[in-house]
Amino acid sequence: MSGHSKWATTKHKKALIDSKRGKVFTRLSKEISIAARLGGGDPDGNPRLRTAIAKAREENMPMDNIKKAIQKGTGEIPGAVYEELQYEGHGPKGVAILLKVTTDNKNRTIPEIRSLFSKNGGALGENGCVAWMFDQKGLITTPASGVTEDRLMEIAINAGAEDVRLDDDVFEVTTAPEDFPAVCDAMRAAGLVLPYAEVTMIPQTTVPLEGKEAQAMVRLMEALEDHDDVQHVYANFDISRETLESLSQNG
């Protein structure tokens, strides 16, 4: 799990530095619209929509944008109809990569994704080739400096979390997907800062990478994440936090 968490938190910091608000808002709007289309426009009765709205507000997305995205999803106002797709492939040293894509034209998206893999040292695979290597879980991080392990265990486990563990200077809290909103709410109510909180795909095992392989992996991850239709990229590599931060900062 640690490799995934390190990438996720490093990526989050990099996104704040790069201030790619346009792309962030576009992806959040797509997620809100799909959540509203599948589960209705009331966040109280739609956990996926409630989570998407919470993330949008954390990114300072204007409420008007959020409302329009919901209305597009429910059909109250016209908008593109998005389809959710999953792609799978491999990166350097056989690293497993799982993509969640939202598109209104899959005939355009598929060849573009295949090209990104091939140009950056990877290979797009068949459906099912790596998905079995991941488990869907809620993953939440909080700085270890802000809470003791005993206190965090009390807060998180009582709210429905499955596990709490220390990784470097952060605690990682894992949950079942259905318990994720309640655990987030409990941690925030206790005054904890949550730098990363998402329902994600956590790899069962990881592949350690160093040097050129680590550099190639980061280049492939960033190329995939920069594609407008890609919502999430999951992979089972493990690169040290220091190496990740260095590679991300140096482009």
Side-chain angles (χ1 to χ4, degrees), residues 3 23 35 39 58-59 93 144 170 195-196 227 229:
K23 284 193 173 183
E58 286 176 1
E59 295 289 351
K93 206 175 175 181
V170 300
Y196 178 83
H227 192 283
D229 294 339

Side-chain angles (χ1 to χ4, degrees), residues 78-97:
V81 177
Y82 295 111
E83 181 179 4
E84 288 187 295
L85 302 172
Q86 179 170 293
Y87 298 137
E88 303 172 42
H90 294 91
K93 206 175 175 181
V95 167
I97 302 174

Side-chain angles (χ1 to χ4, degrees), residues 149-165:
E149 185 169 7
D150 287 344
R151 175 59 178 152
L152 181 57
M153 288 281 289
E154 179 184 358
I155 296 166
I157 299 299
N158 285 345
E162 293 180 347
D163 190 31
V164 174
R165 67 185 295 272

Side-chain angles (χ1 to χ4, degrees), residues 166-223:
L166 181 65
D167 181 29
D168 291 339
D169 56 351
V170 300
F171 285 113
E172 294 179 339
V173 178
T174 53
T175 78
E178 61 270 20
D179 295 324
F180 173 77
V183 176
C184 283
D185 289 346
M187 292 176 66
R188 290 191 178 103
L192 300 181
V193 176
L194 312 183
Y196 178 83
E198 283 190 2
V199 175
T200 186
M201 302 299 290
I202 296 178
Q204 298 167 6
T205 59
T206 57
V207 178
L209 297 180
E210 299 177 352
K212 291 184 178 179
E213 290 174 335
Q215 187 175 13
M217 189 70 237
V218 169
R219 186 169 62 247
L220 175 56
M221 290 289 287
E222 292 185 337

Side-chain angles (χ1 to χ4, degrees), residues 20-234:
K20 295 179 179 177
R21 286 292 180 226
K23 284 193 173 183
V24 171
F25 287 175
T26 297
R27 290 173 180 173
L28 289 170
S29 292
K30 287 182 179 181
E31 172 61 19
I32 291 169
S33 292
I34 287 177
R37 175 166 61 86
L38 296 177
D42 180 7
D44 290 336
N46 184 342
R48 179 173 175 178
L49 178 59
R50 185 165 68 250
T51 298
I53 291 173
K55 188 166 184 62
R57 296 185 72 173
E58 286 176 1
E59 295 289 351
N60 296 316
M61 187 173 177
M63 285 304 299
D64 281 350
N65 295 36
I66 294 174
K67 183 178 179 181
K68 287 178 182 177
I70 293 172
Q71 291 174 327
K72 286 179 182 178
T74 58
E76 295 174 67
I77 60 176
V81 177
Y82 295 111
E83 181 179 4
E84 288 187 295
L85 302 172
Q86 179 170 293
Y87 298 137
E88 303 172 42
H90 294 91
K93 206 175 175 181
V95 167
I97 302 174
L98 185 65
L99 302 181
K100 300 289 187 179
V101 171
T102 303
T103 179
D104 59 354
N105 184 353
K106 66 180 180 181
N107 292 327
R108 178 201 69 230
T109 302
I110 292 173
E112 290 178 355
I113 295 298
R114 182 178 289 110
S115 176
L116 288 175
F117 268 97
S118 62
K119 288 180 179 178
N120 292 279
L124 186 64
E126 298 294 327
N127 285 345
C129 68
V130 302
W132 59 273
M133 302 171 69
F134 296 82
D135 296 316
Q136 188 179 42
K137 298 285 184 182
L139 178 61
I140 309 163
T141 67
T142 191
S145 58
V147 65
T148 65
E149 185 169 7
D150 287 344
R151 175 59 178 152
L152 181 57
M153 288 281 289
E154 179 184 358
I155 296 166
I157 299 299
N158 285 345
E162 293 180 347
D163 190 31
V164 174
R165 67 185 295 272
L166 181 65
D167 181 29
D168 291 339
D169 56 351
V170 300
F171 285 113
E172 294 179 339
V173 178
T174 53
T175 78
E178 61 270 20
D179 295 324
F180 173 77
V183 176
C184 283
D185 289 346
M187 292 176 66
R188 290 191 178 103
L192 300 181
V193 176
L194 312 183
Y196 178 83
E198 283 190 2
V199 175
T200 186
M201 302 299 290
I202 296 178
Q204 298 167 6
T205 59
T206 57
V207 178
L209 297 180
E210 299 177 352
K212 291 184 178 179
E213 290 174 335
Q215 187 175 13
M217 189 70 237
V218 169
R219 186 169 62 247
L220 175 56
M221 290 289 287
E222 292 185 337
L224 291 170
E225 289 182 334
D226 277 345
H227 192 283
D228 288 342
D229 294 339
V230 174
Q231 291 289 93
H232 301 286
V233 184
Y234 309 110

